[in-house]
């Protein structure tokens, strides 16, 4: 009987290793990779996906099978060592326990799981046919456990949320970039696409004071001069004041009628798309595409003009800054020493907090730009030389234009570790005691 017992133990340990490896392979298998294999016509990948879609049932099959073979192996090992060590049943039981523990851990758990984790998709496709056989063999037990699970779900009701959040998607991108599946540019592009719908028009608009526009009664030569000096290819057209924008003219259309000798540009004014400050830029992008327009006017709650948003402004949120040969390249953050930076006033406040690692939410404050934020802290009209402090930053106004700040100098002070401060307080108390 001893050879038979040994053979049964070997078979049980092999099956234990199979179930353990299957559990790791199916748990670690990349669903997206498997789906791509299915789309390529891989039949085994299709079988793996069938199991992944029935994950709870698959795990039940693996756990039932693993428990059966481990229990059987322990029982047979007890019988084996009882025949080998006849004189002392206690020693036989101890030896049986030690030997089976080592065999199960080494060949039934650790080694097969480690090997399966190296190539989970390949292991899953390799084990799929055998696992499917056990699935049907153990189906009655799975059915009973399924009823028990439904009963437990009714007793312990829990609202499940299987939706993937933006943060989880970004974590997936970070993991893919770390593992080498994506390079830095691809990772940044995907992150921008994920966060794209979180941005609103007010986050990217060109403010009213920076808008180049022309009046409906402007002379043709004056309009040509504005096109030449600004370098823009489209200009808003207003009647009386910039709060009453009536449309947009295109530089190419204007040059055509200018060369034809026409005295006004009324015929080339096209309707303008209107946007609100809190509209999602994804919604505005679709409106611009539908209207076949590249520029939208942003109006406030009173109907006044807040600024403009162009198609280029929106696309830059996906692919980064776009410069052409006529653009003057201006760095938002320019380092001048280890702790000093020149920062442009129109920089988004959230970007400033991120750059200087400020542990505050920019949405706590009403201003959207650094300029508005400094003016809020000053509480008055900004002047060159004004200084404000916020967190570990000392902000000095370098230049202004009208009533807004165009550039500041930011000095970053070192932040003392909270642990050191706490240790100092504890030390002071100790001395007093």
């Amino acid at each position: 009987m001893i050879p038979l017992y040994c053979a049964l133990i070997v078979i049980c340990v092999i099956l234990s290793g199979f179930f353990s490896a299957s559990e790791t392979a199916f748990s670690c298998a990349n669903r997206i990779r498997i789906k791509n294999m299915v789309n390529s016509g891989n039949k085994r990948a299709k079988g793996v996906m069938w199991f992944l879609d029935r994950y709870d049932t698959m795990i039940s099959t693996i756990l039932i099978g693993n428990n059966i073979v481990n229990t059987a192996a322990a029982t047979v090992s007890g019988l084996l060592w009882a025949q080998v060590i006849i004189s002392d049943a206690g020693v036989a039981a101890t030896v049986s326990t030690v030997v089976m523990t080592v065999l199960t851990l080494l060949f039934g758990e650790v080694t097969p799981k480690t090997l399966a984790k190296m190539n989970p998709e390949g292991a899953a496709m390799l084990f799929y046919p055998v696992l499917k056989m056990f699935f049907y063999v153990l189906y009655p037990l799975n059915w009973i456990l399924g009823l028990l699970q439904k009963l437990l779900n009714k007793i312990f009701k829990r609202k499940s949320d299987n939706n993937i959040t933006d943060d989880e998607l970004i974590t997936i991108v970070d993991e893919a970039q770390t593992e080498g599946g994506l390079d830095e540019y691809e990772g940044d592009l995907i992150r921008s696409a994920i966060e794209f719908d979180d941005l609103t028009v007010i986050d990217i608009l060109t403010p009213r004071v920076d808008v180049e526009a022309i009046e409906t009664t402007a002379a043709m030569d004056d309009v040509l001069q504005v096109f030449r000096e600004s370098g823009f290819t489209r200009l808003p057209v207003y009647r009386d004041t910039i709060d009453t924008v009536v449309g947009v003219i295109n530089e190419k259309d204007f040059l055509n009628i200018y060369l034809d000798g026409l005295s006004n540009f009324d015929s080339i004014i096209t309707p303008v798309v209107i946007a609100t400050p809190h509209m999602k830029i994804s919604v505005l992008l679709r409106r611009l595409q539908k209207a076949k327009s590249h520029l939208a006017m942003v109006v406030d709650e009173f109907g006044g003009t807040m600024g403009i948003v162009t198609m280029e402004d929106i696309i830059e949120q996906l692919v980064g800054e776009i410069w052409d040969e006529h653009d003057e390249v201006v760095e938002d953050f320019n380092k001048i020493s280890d702790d000093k930076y020149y920062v442009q006033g129109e920089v988004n406040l959230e970007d400033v907090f991120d750059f200087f690692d400020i542990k505050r939410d920019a949405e706590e404050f009403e201003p959207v730009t650094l300029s508005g934020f400094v003016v809020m802290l000053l509480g008055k009209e900004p002047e060159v030389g004004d200084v404000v402090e916020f967190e570990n930053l000392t902000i000095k106004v370098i230049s202004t234009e009208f009533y807004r700040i165009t550039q500041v100098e930011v000095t970053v002070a070192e932040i003392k570790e909270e642990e050191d401060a706490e240790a100092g307080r504890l030390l002071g108390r100790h001395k007093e005691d």
Side-chain angles (χ1 to χ4, degrees), residues 243-257:
D243 288 320
T244 54
V245 175
V246 297
V248 179
I249 63 170
N250 186 289
E251 182 183 29
K252 183 178 179 180
D253 296 335
F254 174 79
L255 290 176
N256 287 334
I257 64 169

Side-chain angles (χ1 to χ4, degrees), residues 30 68 71-72 103 125 147 227-228 242 273 278 305 328 370 405:
N30 189 310
I68 290 174
T71 303
L103 288 175
M125 288 189 289
L147 292 178
F227 272 121
R228 282 178 172 176
I242 197 172
V273 174
H278 299 292
T305 298
E328 180 184 354
L370 176 60
I405 299 169

Side-chain angles (χ1 to χ4, degrees), residues 184-186 188-193 196 199 281 311-323:
E184 184 178 356
Y185 175 76
E186 292 170 334
D188 290 342
L189 190 61
I190 295 173
R191 289 188 198 92
S192 298
F196 184 72
L199 294 172
I281 63 173
M311 183 79 79
E312 181 177 319
D313 294 330
I314 299 175
I315 295 174
E316 283 179 340
Q317 304 310 307
L318 285 173
V319 300
E321 203 70 37
I322 300 173
W323 304 98

Side-chain angles (χ1 to χ4, degrees), residues 215-229:
E215 195 171 0
T216 53
T217 57
M220 297 291 282
D221 289 336
D222 293 338
V223 176
L224 179 63
Q225 188 67 21
V226 173
F227 272 121
R228 282 178 172 176
E229 292 180 354

Side-chain angles (χ1 to χ4, degrees), residues 172-228:
I172 293 172
V173 174
D174 291 340
E175 288 294 323
Q177 190 171 330
T178 302
E179 294 174 3
L182 296 173
D183 60 31
E184 184 178 356
Y185 175 76
E186 292 170 334
D188 290 342
L189 190 61
I190 295 173
R191 289 188 198 92
S192 298
I194 293 171
E195 297 171 345
F196 184 72
D197 203 44
D198 294 334
L199 294 172
T200 56
V201 168
I202 198 170
D203 295 323
I204 65 170
L205 66 79
T206 299
R208 172 191 177 118
V209 293
D210 290 332
V211 174
E212 291 283 356
I214 54 173
E215 195 171 0
T216 53
T217 57
M220 297 291 282
D221 289 336
D222 293 338
V223 176
L224 179 63
Q225 188 67 21
V226 173
F227 272 121
R228 282 178 172 176

Side-chain angles (χ1 to χ4, degrees), residues 240-312:
D240 299 329
T241 71
I242 197 172
D243 288 320
T244 54
V245 175
V246 297
V248 179
I249 63 170
N250 186 289
E251 182 183 29
K252 183 178 179 180
D253 296 335
F254 174 79
L255 290 176
N256 287 334
I257 64 169
Y258 182 83
L259 294 174
D260 289 341
L262 297 183
S263 59
N264 64 69
F265 49 86
D266 293 345
S267 60
I268 63 169
I269 298 176
T270 58
V272 64
V273 174
I274 301 299
T276 57
H278 299 292
M279 178 186 292
K280 298 286 187 182
I281 63 173
S282 57
V283 175
L284 179 57
L285 177 60
R286 287 192 289 271
R287 286 194 180 183
L288 290 173
Q289 289 174 316
K290 186 176 181 180
K292 298 180 180 179
S293 177
H294 284 249
L295 185 147
M297 296 299 302
V298 184
V299 297
D300 59 23
E301 58 183 312
F302 304 107
T305 298
M306 288 185 66
I308 63 171
V309 172
T310 66
M311 183 79 79
E312 181 177 319

Side-chain angles (χ1 to χ4, degrees), residues 98-114:
V98 171
V99 171
M100 284 311 303
T101 299
V102 172
L103 288 175
T104 302
L105 283 176
L106 188 58
F107 300 108
E109 294 289 339
V110 178
T111 302
K113 285 186 175 182
T114 301

